[in-house]
Amino acid sequence: MLFNSLVVSLHFLVLYVACDSGPLEDVVIDRYDIPKICPREVQMGDFVRYHYNGTFKDGQKFDASYDRGVAVAGFVGVGRLITGLDRGILGMCVNEKRKLIVPPHLGYGSIGVPGMIPADATLYFDILLQDIWNKNDEVQITTIHKASPCNRSVQDSDFVRYHYNGTLLDGTYFDSSYSRSTTYDTYVGSGWLIKGMDMGLLGMCAGEKRRITIPPFLAYGEKGYGTIIPAQASLVFHVLLIDFHNPKDGITVQNQVVPQVCKRKAVTGDYVRYHYNGTLMDGALFDSSYSRNTTYNTYIGMGYVISGMDAGLQGVCVGEWRRIIIPPHLGYGESGSGNSIPGSAVLVFDVHIVDFHNPKDSVDIEVMHKPDSCNTTSKKGDFIKYHYNCSMLDGTLLFSSHEYETPQQVTLGSSKVIEGLDTGLLGMCVGERRTVLVPPHLAHGESGARGVPPSAVLKFDLELLHIEEGIPDGYLFIWLQDTPENLFEIMDLDKNGEVPEEEFSDFLKAQVSEGKGRFLPGVDREKSIADMFVNQDRNKDGKITADELKLKTEEETELVHEEL
């Protein structure tokens, strides 16, 4: 019907311009500027806001809304406008411009308007339509972009953070959160927003973009808002929902990838090392341990981290991946943190658990293989040779004896290796293989070591290759039987009353070959002999005499007497 009436009106316009042969019977309409997109046209009963210039045929202006700076507003087709305008506005789109020629009988007739419009005057209007709405209108929602996945959407009583651009229906800008570089933060359905925005935000997902069109009776109504929103104005908001939560929310754990083998789960008091990416709900990265190339290390359940992370790390396994979503009241609250975390922001942490331990942990030993025959096991003081692979619990290899030509060797209990490894090597048989987990307080502690991160739990895969019984601390050589009487006379092979280093060396080697004595294992034998000779050659003349030769037990007795 609207289309047909416009065709008739345009036909009248053509006749009028071409012939100008008589009085007009209807309004002449010239749609000289029509928007490319017109989602809605004016119908009877609609409320419209429009600007106009009114002139007579000779161009003399009799009135203009532009002069007053306020658009005209009113209902169409209910007798509140002159009939010519009622007809001429029908079918208009927002931002459309029309020229109307209104004959007297559809204008002010034979009476006119005293002092303004003469009787029987034909009126010329140039109209710009700015707004349309109807009392039966509802909030119109157009989804521009929907985030995926969307596990949860906005409901009444949720607290939302969103950006928006606000315009009138004709595109006139009136406000934007972007201009303030901060989101608009508020509760939904609690009377903090205009009713139409409350309705328009319902069902949104974080990251979703919507165009929300709100009729004035669900916005600022007859009063408008200050000088920026006119009375009876429809509002259009382009909204990007950044995040939302509910004050009753707890943490949410998602996307768990748990290792097949999980012998132990973290509990309060454990010390956890983990990597993380921290983002807001819209995906904006605010922090990452990966960027610093170091894990974040902390005790859990003891208040060292935000309460949401304390809760989110409970029950993790070594090697586990999980996403922890933390509402602001369990994060940084209304104040946020620095420039990277806004106030009332929901936080999303994607974490990877590298390892964890408890300060009360001892060395954990798992025997992987034990020979059927095992008569001798390693003990403190023994000299052993073994192979090892040392890695972190995430599988990162740190060190390996297989990279060297000879296996690792050590005297157990000599403090030459970390305490936890020393413990893990005790009680092994030759040929036995073990996996030993060493907590950091029995390894390299909070400082770490070259190639070992601070507070790292270390995993050793061990294989014992050789055991040799050790000798007491401080000794380089011991007799396996009673010490020979007249030691110097036996040692002085050529009986000249003095023992040079070569003679000293030959004597000790003979004692070992005859099974009467043993050198300190793991130390170069020639060096041990040289050190022992230097110790006995007290006057440094290159030979030992009977007066100079003293056993270690005799030296210790003399020291005691000297102190006394």
Side-chain angles (χ1 to χ4, degrees):
M1 293 294 291
L2 287 173
F3 180 78
N4 290 337
S5 66
L6 289 175
V7 171
V8 172
S9 298
L10 290 171
H11 178 66
F12 281 144
L13 175 62
V14 172
L15 288 178
Y16 176 78
V17 173
C19 305
D20 196 16
S21 58
L24 298 174
E25 294 183 3
D26 204 348
V27 177
V28 177
I29 300 172
D30 178 9
R31 303 181 70 185
Y32 71 91
D33 190 349
I34 305 172
K36 291 182 179 180
I37 299 175
C38 180
R40 177 175 184 174
E41 296 179 345
V42 177
Q43 300 182 27
M44 296 287 284
D46 283 347
F47 190 96
V48 295
R49 289 191 313 108
Y50 60 94
H51 268 301
Y52 72 91
N53 281 317
T55 62
F56 300 119
K57 184 178 181 180
D58 60 3
Q60 180 183 351
K61 181 168 66 176
F62 62 82
D63 192 24
S65 63
Y66 294 102
D67 294 342
R68 295 184 291 276
V70 178
V72 175
F75 288 96
V76 175
V78 295
R80 296 187 181 181
L81 302 174
I82 59 174
T83 304
L85 280 177
D86 260 347
R87 295 183 183 181
I89 291 175
L90 286 173
M92 284 192 80
C93 306
V94 171
N95 286 325
E96 181 179 342
K97 295 179 181 179
R98 286 186 178 185
K99 291 181 179 179
L100 308 179
I101 303 175
V102 179
H105 66 282
L106 298 178
Y108 293 97
S110 58
I111 300 175
V113 178
M116 179 182 293
I117 297 176
D120 297 320
T122 299
L123 306 178
Y124 292 74
F125 290 94
D126 195 338
I127 296 177
L128 168 62
L129 187 66
Q130 294 186 314
D131 201 343
I132 313 170
W133 59 272
N134 190 284
K135 62 183 180 181
N136 295 321
D137 283 352
E138 298 177 348
V139 174
Q140 298 176 34
I141 297 172
T142 302
T143 299
I144 299 170
H145 169 74
K146 187 126 183 174
S148 179
C150 177
N151 300 317
R152 174 179 174 181
S153 59
V154 174
Q155 300 178 10
D156 276 335
S157 78
D158 282 347
F159 189 89
V160 295
R161 296 175 55 248
Y162 61 93
H163 271 302
Y164 70 89
N165 285 319
T167 65
L168 305 180
L169 200 59
D170 65 352
T172 301
Y173 164 90
F174 65 80
D175 192 23
S176 173
S177 63
Y178 295 99
S179 66
R180 296 183 291 275
S181 298
T182 184
T183 54
Y184 191 84
D185 307 342
T186 188
Y187 288 96
V188 174
S190 301
W192 295 82
L193 293 168
I194 57 175
K195 189 173 183 181
M197 185 60 87
D198 263 341
M199 299 166 67
L201 291 169
L202 290 175
M204 284 193 80
C205 304
E208 182 176 342
K209 294 180 181 179
R210 281 185 179 183
R211 182 178 189 265
I212 303 172
T213 304
I214 303 173
F217 55 86
L218 296 176
Y220 293 101
E222 297 178 356
K223 295 181 179 180
Y225 188 82
T227 59
I228 58 172
I229 298 178
Q232 303 289 22
S234 300
L235 306 181
V236 179
F237 291 93
H238 284 83
V239 174
L240 167 61
L241 185 62
I242 301 298
D243 70 29
F244 65 96
H245 72 279
N246 194 282
K248 298 179 181 179
D249 285 348
I251 65 163
T252 301
V253 176
Q254 296 177 347
N255 301 348
Q256 280 184 274
V257 180
V258 181
Q260 288 184 346
V261 178
C262 179
K263 295 182 178 179
R264 171 179 172 182
K265 296 183 177 182
V267 297
T268 295
D270 283 347
Y271 191 85
V272 184
R273 297 195 315 120
Y274 61 96
H275 271 302
Y276 71 89
N277 284 321
T279 64
L280 305 180
M281 274 188 84
D282 64 352
L285 181 72
F286 63 79
D287 193 22
S288 173
S289 63
Y290 296 99
S291 67
R292 296 183 291 275
N293 199 31
T294 182
T295 56
Y296 190 85
N297 308 333
T298 187
Y299 290 97
I300 63 169
M302 300 174 68
Y304 288 98
V305 291
I306 56 176
S307 57
M309 186 60 83
D310 256 347
L313 291 172
Q314 295 284 338
V316 294
C317 302
V318 171
E320 180 177 340
W321 299 78
R322 64 167 56 179
R323 171 170 288 180
I324 305 169
I325 301 174
I326 302 175
H329 51 276
L330 299 177
Y332 292 99
E334 296 180 1
S335 302
S337 178
N339 297 322
S340 58
I341 300 179
S344 301
V346 176
L347 308 180
V348 180
F349 289 92
D350 289 299
V351 302
H352 177 217
I353 308 303
V354 175
D355 67 33
F356 65 86
H357 72 280
N358 193 283
K360 298 178 181 178
D361 284 350
S362 57
V363 175
D364 181 75
I365 299 173
E366 182 179 2
V367 176
M368 311 304 292
H369 169 72
K370 196 161 192 171
D372 294 334
S373 176
C374 179
N375 299 318
T376 303
T377 59
S378 56
K379 63 183 182 299
K380 184 177 180 180
D382 284 352
F383 174 76
I384 63 169
K385 295 180 182 180
Y386 62 98
H387 270 308
Y388 73 91
N389 288 321
C390 175
S391 61
M392 295 195 294
L393 294 194
D394 65 353
T396 302
L397 182 66
L398 300 178
F399 311 105
S400 175
S401 62
H402 297 281
E403 297 175 356
Y404 303 95
E405 293 182 359
T406 59
Q408 185 78 1
Q409 57 187 36
V410 71
T411 299
L412 294 176
S414 63
S415 301
K416 299 298 184 182
V417 295
I418 57 173
E419 182 181 350
L421 178 57
D422 205 67
T423 300
L425 287 165
L426 292 173
M428 290 189 76
C429 307
V430 172
E432 182 178 336
R433 293 193 298 273
R434 287 182 174 183
T435 296
V436 176
L437 300 184
V438 181
H441 51 277
L442 299 175
H444 295 286
E446 296 180 359
S447 301
R450 186 177 180 182
V452 179
S455 300
V457 178
L458 300 182
K459 176 185 176 183
F460 289 90
D461 293 307
L462 304 173
E463 181 181 7
L464 187 62
L465 305 175
H466 172 79
I467 301 176
E468 188 175 335
E469 188 175 2
I471 65 176
D473 288 344
Y475 287 78
L476 296 175
F477 176 91
I478 61 171
W479 271 276
L480 301 179
Q481 302 169 0
D482 292 337
T483 306
E485 295 183 6
N486 304 317
L487 179 60
F488 183 80
E489 294 178 7
I490 300 173
M491 188 181 297
D492 184 12
L493 300 178
D494 58 6
K495 308 303 180 184
N496 64 351
E498 57 187 27
V499 177
E501 185 172 351
E502 182 179 356
E503 196 171 14
F504 182 78
S505 176
D506 289 343
F507 171 75
L508 291 179
K509 290 178 180 177
Q511 297 297 301
V512 172
S513 64
E514 294 170 10
K516 297 177 181 179
R518 183 154 52 87
F519 284 102
L520 175 66
V523 178
D524 180 71
R525 182 170 296 184
E526 298 300 329
K527 183 177 185 307
S528 293
I529 293 171
D531 288 345
M532 293 167 67
F533 183 82
V534 168
N535 184 53
Q536 297 295 328
D537 181 15
R538 301 178 192 280
N539 62 4
K540 310 305 177 188
D541 62 354
K543 53 185 178 292
I544 301 171
T545 64
D547 292 336
E548 289 177 310
L549 183 65
K550 289 183 174 60
L551 297 176
K552 185 173 178 61
T553 52
E554 295 173 337
E555 291 177 343
E556 291 171 349
T557 302
E558 287 183 2
L559 286 173
V560 170
H561 287 305
E562 286 174 4
E563 290 172 356
L564 291 174

